[in-house]
Coordinates of all heavy atoms in Angstrom, one line a residue:
M1 N 0.8 -1.2 0.0 CA 0.0 0.0 0.0 C 0.9 1.3 0.0 O 1.9 1.3 0.7 CB -0.9 0.0 1.2 CG -2.0 1.1 1.2 SD -2.9 1.1 2.7 CE -3.8 -0.4 2.6
R2 N 0.5 2.2 -0.8 CA 1.2 3.5 -0.9 C 0.3 4.7 -0.6 O -0.9 4.6 -0.8 CB 1.8 3.6 -2.3 CG 3.1 2.8 -2.5 CD 3.5 2.9 -4.0 NE 4.7 2.1 -4.2 CZ 5.9 2.7 -4.2 NH1 6.1 3.9 -3.9 NH2 7.0 1.9 -4.4
C3 N 0.9 5.7 -0.1 CA 0.2 6.9 0.2 C -0.2 7.5 -1.2 O 0.6 7.7 -2.1 CB 1.1 7.9 0.9 SG 0.4 9.5 1.1
P4 N -1.5 7.9 -1.3 CA -1.9 8.5 -2.6 C -1.3 9.9 -2.9 O -1.4 10.4 -4.0 CB -3.4 8.6 -2.4 CG -3.7 8.6 -1.0 CD -2.5 7.8 -0.3
K5 N -0.8 10.5 -1.8 CA -0.3 11.9 -1.9 C 1.2 11.9 -2.2 O 1.6 12.5 -3.2 CB -0.6 12.6 -0.7 CG -0.7 14.2 -0.8 CD -1.1 14.8 0.4 CE -1.1 16.3 0.3 NZ -1.5 17.0 1.6
C6 N 2.0 11.2 -1.4 CA 3.4 11.3 -1.5 C 4.1 10.0 -2.0 O 5.3 9.9 -2.1 CB 4.1 11.8 -0.2 SG 4.0 10.6 1.1
R7 N 3.3 9.0 -2.1 CA 3.8 7.7 -2.6 C 4.7 7.0 -1.6 O 5.4 6.0 -1.9 CB 4.5 7.8 -3.9 CG 3.6 8.2 -5.1 CD 2.7 7.2 -5.5 NE 1.5 7.7 -6.2 CZ 0.4 7.0 -6.4 NH1 0.3 5.8 -6.0 NH2 -0.6 7.5 -7.1
S8 N 4.7 7.4 -0.3 CA 5.5 6.8 0.7 C 4.8 5.4 1.1 O 3.6 5.3 1.0 CB 5.5 7.7 1.9 OG 6.0 6.9 3.0
E9 N 5.6 4.5 1.5 CA 5.1 3.2 1.9 C 5.1 3.1 3.4 O 4.8 2.0 4.0 CB 5.9 2.0 1.3 CG 5.6 1.9 -0.2 CD 6.3 0.6 -0.7 OE1 7.3 0.2 -0.2 OE2 5.7 0.1 -1.7
H10 N 5.3 4.1 4.1 CA 5.3 4.1 5.6 C 3.8 4.4 6.0 O 3.5 5.6 6.4 CB 6.2 5.2 6.2 CG 7.7 4.9 5.9 ND1 8.4 3.9 6.6 CD2 8.5 5.4 5.0 CE1 9.6 3.9 6.1 NE2 9.7 4.8 5.1
I11 N 3.0 3.4 6.0 CA 1.6 3.5 6.3 C 1.3 2.7 7.5 O 1.7 1.6 7.7 CB 0.7 2.9 5.1 CG1 1.2 3.5 3.7 CG2 -0.7 3.2 5.3 CD1 1.0 5.0 3.6
I12 N 0.5 3.3 8.4 CA 0.0 2.6 9.6 C -1.6 2.5 9.4 O -2.2 3.5 9.1 CB 0.4 3.3 10.9 CG1 1.9 3.1 11.1 CG2 -0.5 2.8 12.0 CD1 2.4 3.8 12.4
I13 N -2.1 1.3 9.7 CA -3.5 1.1 9.6 C -4.1 1.2 11.1 O -3.6 0.6 12.0 CB -3.9 -0.3 9.1 CG1 -3.2 -0.5 7.7 CG2 -5.4 -0.4 9.0 CD1 -3.7 0.4 6.6
Q14 N -5.0 2.1 11.2 CA -5.6 2.3 12.6 C -7.1 1.9 12.5 O -7.8 2.2 11.5 CB -5.5 3.8 13.0 CG -4.1 4.2 13.3 CD -4.0 5.6 13.7 OE1 -4.8 6.4 13.4 NE2 -3.0 5.9 14.5
A15 N -7.5 1.4 13.7 CA -9.0 1.1 13.8 C -9.6 2.3 14.5 O -9.2 2.7 15.6 CB -9.2 -0.2 14.6
V16 N -10.6 2.9 13.8 CA -11.3 4.0 14.4 C -12.7 3.7 14.7 O -13.4 3.1 13.8 CB -11.2 5.2 13.4 CG1 -12.0 6.4 13.9 CG2 -9.8 5.6 13.1
T17 N -13.1 4.0 15.9 CA -14.5 3.7 16.3 C -15.3 5.0 16.2 O -15.0 6.0 16.9 CB -14.6 3.1 17.7 OG1 -13.8 1.9 17.7 CG2 -16.0 2.7 18.0
E18 N -16.4 4.9 15.4 CA -17.2 6.1 15.3 C -18.5 5.8 16.0 O -19.1 4.7 15.9 CB -17.5 6.4 13.8 CG -16.4 7.0 13.1 CD -16.8 7.4 11.7 OE1 -17.8 6.9 11.2 OE2 -16.1 8.2 11.1
V19 N -19.1 6.8 16.7 CA -20.4 6.7 17.3 C -21.4 7.5 16.5 O -21.2 8.7 16.3 CB -20.3 7.1 18.8 CG1 -21.7 7.0 19.4 CG2 -19.4 6.3 19.6
K20 N -22.3 6.8 16.0 CA -23.3 7.4 15.2 C -24.7 7.3 15.9 O -25.0 6.3 16.5 CB -23.4 6.8 13.8 CG -22.3 7.3 12.9 CD -22.6 6.8 11.5 CE -21.6 7.4 10.5 NZ -21.8 6.9 9.1
E21 N -25.5 8.3 15.6 CA -26.9 8.2 16.1 C -27.8 7.7 15.0 O -27.8 8.4 13.9 CB -27.4 9.5 16.7 CG -27.0 9.7 18.1 CD -27.7 10.9 18.7 OE1 -28.5 11.6 18.0 OE2 -27.6 11.1 19.9
K22 N -28.5 6.7 15.2 CA -29.4 6.1 14.2 C -30.8 6.6 14.5 O -31.3 6.3 15.5 CB -29.3 4.6 14.2 CG -29.3 4.0 12.9 CD -29.2 2.5 13.0 CE -29.1 1.8 11.6 NZ -29.0 0.4 11.7
R23 N -31.3 7.4 13.6 CA -32.6 8.0 13.8 C -33.7 7.2 13.3 O -34.8 7.2 13.7 CB -32.7 9.4 13.2 CG -31.8 10.4 14.0 CD -31.8 11.7 13.4 NE -30.7 12.5 13.9 CZ -30.8 13.2 15.1 NH1 -31.9 13.2 15.8 NH2 -29.8 13.9 15.5
R24 N -33.4 6.4 12.2 CA -34.4 5.6 11.6 C -34.0 4.2 11.5 O -32.9 3.9 11.3 CB -34.7 6.2 10.2 CG -35.6 7.4 10.1 CD -35.7 7.8 8.7 NE -37.0 8.5 8.4 CZ -37.6 8.5 7.3 NH1 -37.0 7.9 6.2 NH2 -38.7 9.2 7.1
K25 N -35.0 3.3 11.6 CA -34.7 1.9 11.4 C -34.8 1.7 9.9 O -35.5 2.3 9.2 CB -35.8 1.1 12.1 CG -35.7 1.1 13.6 CD -36.6 0.1 14.3 CE -36.4 0.1 15.8 NZ -37.0 1.2 16.4
G26 N -34.0 0.7 9.4 CA -33.9 0.4 8.0 C -35.2 -0.2 7.5 O -36.1 -0.7 8.2
L27 N -35.3 -0.1 6.2 CA -36.5 -0.6 5.5 C -36.7 -2.1 5.7 O -37.8 -2.6 6.0 CB -36.4 -0.3 4.0 CG -37.6 -0.6 3.1 CD1 -38.8 0.3 3.5 CD2 -37.3 -0.4 1.7
A28 N -35.5 -2.8 5.7 CA -35.5 -4.3 5.9 C -36.1 -4.6 7.3 O -36.9 -5.6 7.4 CB -34.1 -4.9 5.8
Y29 N -35.8 -3.8 8.3 CA -36.3 -4.0 9.6 C -37.8 -4.0 9.6 O -38.4 -4.9 10.2 CB -35.7 -3.0 10.6 CG -36.4 -3.0 11.9 CD1 -35.9 -3.8 12.9 CD2 -37.5 -2.1 12.2 CE1 -36.6 -3.8 14.2 CE2 -38.1 -2.2 13.4 CZ -37.6 -3.0 14.4 OH -38.3 -3.0 15.6
W30 N -38.4 -3.0 9.0 CA -39.8 -2.9 9.0 C -40.5 -4.0 8.2 O -41.6 -4.4 8.5 CB -40.2 -1.5 8.5 CG -39.9 -0.4 9.4 CD1 -38.9 0.5 9.3 CD2 -40.5 -0.2 10.7 NE1 -38.9 1.3 10.4 CE2 -39.8 0.9 11.3 CE3 -41.5 -0.9 11.4 CZ2 -40.2 1.3 12.6 CZ3 -41.8 -0.4 12.7 CH2 -41.2 0.7 13.3
I31 N -39.9 -4.4 7.1 CA -40.5 -5.5 6.3 C -40.5 -6.8 7.0 O -41.5 -7.5 7.1 CB -39.7 -5.6 4.9 CG1 -40.0 -4.3 4.1 CG2 -40.1 -6.9 4.2 CD1 -39.0 -4.2 2.9
F32 N -39.3 -7.1 7.7 CA -39.2 -8.5 8.3 C -39.6 -8.5 9.7 O -40.1 -9.5 10.2 CB -37.8 -9.0 8.1 CG -37.4 -9.2 6.7 CD1 -36.5 -8.4 6.0 CD2 -38.0 -10.2 6.0 CE1 -36.2 -8.6 4.7 CE2 -37.7 -10.5 4.6 CZ -36.7 -9.6 4.0
I33 N -39.4 -7.5 10.5 CA -39.6 -7.5 11.9 C -40.7 -6.5 12.4 O -41.6 -6.8 13.1 CB -38.3 -7.3 12.7 CG1 -37.3 -8.3 12.3 CG2 -38.6 -7.4 14.2 CD1 -35.9 -8.0 12.7
G34 N -40.5 -5.3 11.9 CA -41.2 -4.1 12.4 C -42.7 -4.3 12.5 O -43.2 -4.0 13.6
W35 N -43.3 -4.7 11.5 CA -44.8 -4.7 11.5 C -45.4 -5.6 12.5 O -46.2 -5.2 13.3 CB -45.3 -5.0 10.1 CG -45.0 -6.4 9.5 CD1 -43.9 -6.7 8.9 CD2 -45.8 -7.6 9.7 NE1 -43.9 -8.0 8.5 CE2 -45.0 -8.6 9.0 CE3 -47.0 -7.9 10.3 CZ2 -45.5 -9.9 9.0 CZ3 -47.5 -9.2 10.2 CH2 -46.7 -10.2 9.5
W36 N -44.9 -6.9 12.6 CA -45.5 -7.8 13.6 C -45.0 -7.5 15.0 O -45.7 -7.6 16.0 CB -45.3 -9.2 13.2 CG -43.9 -9.8 13.2 CD1 -43.1 -9.9 12.1 CD2 -43.1 -10.2 14.3 NE1 -41.9 -10.4 12.4 CE2 -41.9 -10.6 13.8 CE3 -43.3 -10.3 15.7 CZ2 -40.8 -11.1 14.6 CZ3 -42.3 -10.7 16.5 CH2 -41.1 -11.1 15.9
W37 N -43.8 -7.1 15.1 CA -43.2 -6.8 16.4 C -43.9 -5.5 17.0 O -44.3 -5.5 18.2 CB -41.7 -6.5 16.3 CG -41.2 -5.9 17.6 CD1 -40.6 -4.7 17.8 CD2 -41.2 -6.6 18.9 NE1 -40.3 -4.5 19.1 CE2 -40.6 -5.7 19.8 CE3 -41.6 -7.8 19.4 CZ2 -40.4 -6.0 21.2 CZ3 -41.4 -8.1 20.7 CH2 -40.8 -7.2 21.6
E38 N -44.2 -4.6 16.2 CA -44.9 -3.4 16.6 C -46.3 -3.7 17.1 O -46.8 -3.3 18.1 CB -44.9 -2.3 15.5 CG -43.6 -1.7 15.2 CD -43.1 -0.8 16.4 OE1 -43.8 0.0 16.9 OE2 -41.9 -1.0 16.7
I39 N -47.0 -4.6 16.3 CA -48.3 -4.9 16.7 C -48.3 -5.7 18.0 O -49.1 -5.4 18.9 CB -49.0 -5.8 15.6 CG1 -49.2 -4.9 14.3 CG2 -50.3 -6.4 16.0 CD1 -49.5 -5.7 13.1
L40 N -47.4 -6.7 18.1 CA -47.3 -7.5 19.3 C -46.9 -6.7 20.5 O -47.5 -6.8 21.6 CB -46.2 -8.6 19.1 CG -46.2 -9.8 20.0 CD1 -47.3 -10.7 19.7 CD2 -44.9 -10.5 19.8
A41 N -46.0 -5.7 20.3 CA -45.6 -4.9 21.4 C -46.7 -4.0 21.9 O -46.9 -3.8 23.1 CB -44.4 -4.0 20.9
W42 N -47.5 -3.5 20.9 CA -48.6 -2.7 21.3 C -49.7 -3.4 22.1 O -50.3 -2.9 23.0 CB -49.3 -2.0 20.1 CG -48.6 -0.8 19.7 CD1 -47.7 -0.6 18.7 CD2 -48.7 0.6 20.3 NE1 -47.3 0.7 18.6 CE2 -47.9 1.4 19.6 CE3 -49.5 1.1 21.3 CZ2 -47.8 2.8 19.9 CZ3 -49.4 2.4 21.7 CH2 -48.5 3.2 20.9
I43 N -49.9 -4.7 21.7 CA -50.9 -5.5 22.4 C -50.4 -5.9 23.8 O -51.1 -5.7 24.8 CB -51.2 -6.8 21.6 CG1 -51.9 -6.4 20.3 CG2 -52.0 -7.8 22.4 CD1 -51.9 -7.5 19.2
L44 N -49.2 -6.4 23.9 CA -48.7 -6.9 25.1 C -48.3 -5.8 26.1 O -48.5 -5.8 27.3 CB -47.4 -7.8 24.9 CG -47.7 -9.1 24.1 CD1 -46.4 -9.8 23.9 CD2 -48.7 -10.0 24.9
F45 N -47.7 -4.7 25.6 CA -47.1 -3.7 26.5 C -47.7 -2.3 26.1 O -47.1 -1.3 26.2 CB -45.6 -3.6 26.4 CG -44.9 -4.9 26.4 CD1 -44.3 -5.4 25.3 CD2 -44.9 -5.7 27.6 CE1 -43.6 -6.6 25.3 CE2 -44.2 -6.9 27.6 CZ -43.6 -7.4 26.5
G46 N -49.0 -2.3 25.7 CA -49.7 -1.1 25.2 C -49.3 0.1 26.0 O -48.8 1.1 25.4
I47 N -49.6 0.2 27.3 CA -49.4 1.4 28.0 C -47.9 1.7 28.2 O -47.4 2.8 28.0 CB -50.0 1.3 29.4 CG1 -51.6 1.2 29.2 CG2 -49.7 2.5 30.3 CD1 -52.3 0.7 30.5
W48 N -47.1 0.7 28.5 CA -45.7 0.8 28.7 C -45.0 1.3 27.4 O -44.2 2.2 27.4 CB -45.0 -0.5 29.0 CG -43.6 -0.5 29.1 CD1 -42.8 0.0 30.2 CD2 -42.6 -1.0 28.2 NE1 -41.5 -0.2 29.9 CE2 -41.3 -0.7 28.7 CE3 -42.8 -1.6 26.9 CZ2 -40.2 -1.1 27.9 CZ3 -41.6 -1.9 26.2 CH2 -40.4 -1.7 26.7
K49 N -45.5 0.7 26.3 CA -45.0 1.1 25.0 C -45.3 2.6 24.7 O -44.5 3.4 24.2 CB -45.6 0.2 23.9 CG -45.2 0.5 22.5 CD -43.8 0.1 22.2 CE -43.5 0.3 20.7 NZ -42.1 0.0 20.4
L50 N -46.5 3.0 25.0 CA -46.9 4.4 24.8 C -46.0 5.3 25.6 O -45.6 6.4 25.1 CB -48.4 4.5 25.3 CG -49.1 5.8 24.9 CD1 -49.2 6.0 23.4 CD2 -50.4 5.9 25.6
L51 N -45.7 4.9 26.8 CA -44.8 5.8 27.7 C -43.5 5.9 27.1 O -42.8 6.9 27.1 CB -44.8 5.2 29.1 CG -46.0 5.3 29.9 CD1 -45.9 4.5 31.2 CD2 -46.4 6.7 30.2
V52 N -43.0 4.8 26.5 CA -41.6 4.8 25.9 C -41.6 5.7 24.7 O -40.7 6.5 24.5 CB -41.2 3.3 25.5 CG1 -39.9 3.4 24.7 CG2 -41.0 2.5 26.8
V53 N -42.7 5.6 23.9 CA -42.8 6.4 22.7 C -42.9 7.9 23.1 O -42.2 8.8 22.5 CB -44.0 6.0 21.9 CG1 -44.3 7.0 20.8 CG2 -43.8 4.6 21.3
L54 N -43.6 8.2 24.2 CA -43.8 9.6 24.6 C -42.6 10.2 25.3 O -42.2 11.3 25.1 CB -45.0 9.7 25.6 CG -46.4 9.5 24.9 CD1 -47.4 9.5 26.0 CD2 -46.7 10.6 23.9
F55 N -41.9 9.3 26.2 CA -40.8 9.9 27.0 C -39.5 9.3 26.7 O -38.5 9.8 27.1 CB -41.2 9.6 28.5 CG -42.5 10.2 28.9 CD1 -43.6 9.5 29.2 CD2 -42.6 11.6 29.0 CE1 -44.8 10.0 29.6 CE2 -43.8 12.2 29.4 CZ -44.9 11.4 29.6
G56 N -39.5 8.2 25.9 CA -38.2 7.5 25.6 C -37.4 8.2 24.6 O -37.9 9.1 23.9
K57 N -36.2 7.8 24.5 CA -35.3 8.3 23.4 C -35.6 7.7 22.1 O -35.7 6.5 22.0 CB -33.8 8.0 23.8 CG -33.1 9.2 24.5 CD -31.6 8.9 24.5 CE -30.9 10.1 25.0 NZ -29.4 9.9 25.0
K58 N -35.7 8.5 21.1 CA -36.0 8.0 19.8 C -34.8 7.6 19.0 O -34.9 6.9 18.0 CB -36.9 9.0 19.0 CG -38.3 9.0 19.5 CD -39.2 10.0 18.8 CE -40.6 10.0 19.4 NZ -41.4 11.1 18.8
T59 N -33.7 8.1 19.4 CA -32.4 7.9 18.7 C -31.7 6.7 19.3 O -31.8 6.5 20.5 CB -31.5 9.1 18.7 OG1 -31.3 9.5 20.1 CG2 -32.1 10.3 17.9
K60 N -31.0 6.0 18.5 CA -30.3 4.8 18.9 C -28.8 5.1 18.6 O -28.5 5.5 17.5 CB -30.8 3.6 18.1 CG -30.3 2.3 18.6 CD -30.8 1.2 17.7 CE -30.2 -0.2 18.1 NZ -30.6 -1.2 17.1
V61 N -27.9 4.8 19.6 CA -26.5 5.1 19.3 C -25.8 3.8 18.9 O -25.9 2.8 19.5 CB -25.8 5.6 20.6 CG1 -24.3 5.8 20.4 CG2 -26.5 6.9 21.1
V62 N -25.1 3.9 17.8 CA -24.5 2.8 17.1 C -23.0 3.1 16.9 O -22.7 4.2 16.5 CB -25.1 2.5 15.8 CG1 -24.4 1.3 15.1 CG2 -26.6 2.1 16.0
S63 N -22.1 2.2 17.4 CA -20.7 2.5 17.2 C -20.2 1.6 16.0 O -20.6 0.5 15.9 CB -19.9 2.1 18.4 OG -20.0 0.8 18.7
I64 N -19.5 2.3 15.1 CA -19.0 1.6 13.9 C -17.4 1.7 14.0 O -16.9 2.7 14.1 CB -19.5 2.3 12.7 CG1 -21.0 2.2 12.6 CG2 -18.9 1.7 11.4 CD1 -21.7 3.2 11.7
T65 N -16.8 0.5 13.8 CA -15.4 0.5 13.7 C -14.9 0.3 12.3 O -15.4 -0.5 11.6 CB -14.8 -0.7 14.5 OG1 -15.3 -0.6 15.9 CG2 -13.3 -0.7 14.6
R66 N -14.1 1.3 11.9 CA -13.6 1.2 10.5 C -12.1 1.4 10.5 O -11.5 1.9 11.5 CB -14.2 2.2 9.6 CG -14.0 3.7 10.0 CD -14.8 4.6 9.2 NE -14.7 6.0 9.7 CZ -13.8 6.9 9.3 NH1 -12.9 6.5 8.3 NH2 -13.7 8.1 9.7
S67 N -11.4 1.0 9.4 CA -10.0 1.1 9.3 C -9.6 2.4 8.6 O -10.2 2.7 7.6 CB -9.4 -0.1 8.6 OG -9.7 -1.2 9.3
V68 N -8.6 3.1 9.2 CA -8.1 4.3 8.5 C -6.6 4.1 8.3 O -5.9 3.8 9.3 CB -8.4 5.5 9.4 CG1 -7.7 6.8 8.8 CG2 -9.9 5.7 9.5
A69 N -6.1 4.4 7.2 CA -4.7 4.4 6.9 C -4.1 5.7 7.1 O -4.7 6.7 6.7 CB -4.4 3.9 5.5
V70 N -3.0 5.8 7.8 CA -2.3 7.1 8.1 C -0.9 7.0 7.5 O -0.1 6.1 7.9 CB -2.3 7.4 9.6 CG1 -1.6 8.8 9.8 CG2 -3.7 7.4 10.2
C71 N -0.6 8.0 6.7 CA 0.8 8.0 6.1 C 1.7 8.7 7.2 O 1.4 9.7 7.7 CB 0.8 8.9 4.9 SG 2.4 9.2 4.2
Q72 N 2.8 8.0 7.4 CA 3.8 8.4 8.4 C 4.7 9.5 7.9 O 5.5 10.1 8.5 CB 4.6 7.3 9.0 CG 3.8 6.2 9.7 CD 3.0 6.8 10.9 OE1 3.6 7.2 11.9 NE2 1.7 6.9 10.7
N73 N 4.7 9.7 6.6 CA 5.5 10.7 5.9 C 4.9 12.0 5.8 O 5.5 13.0 6.2 CB 5.9 10.1 4.5 CG 7.0 10.9 3.9 OD1 8.0 11.3 4.6 ND2 6.9 11.2 2.6
C74 N 3.6 12.1 5.4 CA 3.0 13.4 5.2 C 1.7 13.6 6.0 O 1.2 14.7 6.1 CB 2.7 13.6 3.7 SG 1.4 12.6 3.1
G75 N 1.3 12.5 6.7 CA 0.1 12.6 7.6 C -1.2 12.5 6.9 O -2.2 12.7 7.6
T76 N -1.2 12.1 5.7 CA -2.5 12.0 5.0 C -3.3 10.8 5.5 O -2.7 9.7 5.8 CB -2.2 11.7 3.5 OG1 -1.5 12.9 3.0 CG2 -3.6 11.6 2.7
R77 N -4.6 11.0 5.7 CA -5.4 9.9 6.2 C -6.4 9.5 5.1 O -7.0 10.4 4.4 CB -6.2 10.3 7.4 CG -5.4 10.4 8.7 CD -6.2 11.2 9.7 NE -5.8 10.8 11.1 CZ -6.5 10.0 11.8 NH1 -7.6 9.5 11.4 NH2 -6.0 9.7 13.0
W78 N -6.7 8.2 5.0 CA -7.8 7.8 4.1 C -8.4 6.5 4.6 O -7.8 5.8 5.3 CB -7.2 7.7 2.6 CG -6.3 6.6 2.4 CD1 -6.5 5.3 1.9 CD2 -4.8 6.6 2.6 NE1 -5.4 4.6 1.9 CE2 -4.3 5.4 2.3 CE3 -4.0 7.6 3.1 CZ2 -3.0 5.1 2.4 CZ3 -2.6 7.3 3.2 CH2 -2.1 6.1 2.8
N79 N -9.6 6.3 4.1 CA -10.3 5.1 4.6 C -9.9 3.9 3.8 O -9.6 3.9 2.6 CB -11.8 5.3 4.3 CG -12.4 6.4 5.2 OD1 -11.9 6.7 6.3 ND2 -13.4 7.1 4.7
V80 N -9.8 2.8 4.6 CA -9.4 1.5 4.0 C -10.6 0.5 4.2 O -11.2 0.5 5.3 CB -8.2 0.9 4.7 CG1 -7.8 -0.4 4.2 CG2 -7.0 1.9 4.6
R81 N -10.9 -0.2 3.2 CA -12.0 -1.2 3.3 C -11.5 -2.6 3.6 O -10.4 -2.9 3.2 CB -12.8 -1.3 2.0 CG -13.6 0.0 1.8 CD -14.4 -0.1 0.5 NE -15.1 1.2 0.3 CZ -16.0 1.5 -0.7 NH1 -16.3 0.5 -1.4 NH2 -16.5 2.7 -0.8
Ligands
ZN101 ZN1 2.0 10.6 2.4

C-alpha cells in the first residue's frame, strides 16, 4: 500500500470507532420484523410502549469500527475497506 499523496510506503492502519446516532430503522427491519413486532408490542405492552414512545429516546446510538490508513511521511489519512 502506498500513500496516494506522496507515494510513501510508511503506512499505519488504525482502527477508528465512530459513534453514530441512528434515527431511523432500516426498510428491511420494517419489512421483516417491524410490522408484527410493533403490533405484538402494542398488544402486550400497550401502556408501557406508549410511555416509551412519549418519553423515551427515539435515537439509537451505534458504534462503527472502520480502518483508517495514516501516512507516516505526510500525515494523509484515508479510509481502508
Ligand atoms: Zn504521504
Side-chain angles (χ1 to χ4, degrees):
M1 189 186 291
R2 281 172 179 268
C3 172
K5 202 174 179 183
C6 68
R7 294 291 159 194
S8 167
E9 286 189 332
H10 297 282
I11 309 297
I12 286 179
I13 307 293
Q14 291 181 333
V16 176
T17 303
E18 285 185 343
V19 177
K20 277 189 178 179
E21 273 194 356
K22 220 177 185 181
R23 289 175 196 278
R24 278 179 153 206
K25 291 186 176 78
L27 188 65
Y29 170 85
W30 288 112
I31 291 168
F32 294 109
I33 303 164
W35 62 273
W36 64 262
W37 170 246
E38 288 295 314
I39 292 165
L40 200 70
W42 274 101
I43 293 165
L44 295 175
F45 315 110
I47 295 165
W48 176 79
K49 179 75 175 175
L50 188 67
L51 291 172
V52 170
V53 170
L54 289 173
F55 303 109
K57 264 192 168 183
K58 284 177 182 175
T59 55
K60 192 182 173 187
V61 176
V62 177
S63 66
I64 298 159
T65 305
R66 63 186 173 92
S67 296
V68 175
V70 182
C71 174
Q72 298 301 290
N73 192 40
C74 70
T76 301
R77 286 167 154 256
W78 68 94
N79 294 328
V80 179
R81 288 183 186 186

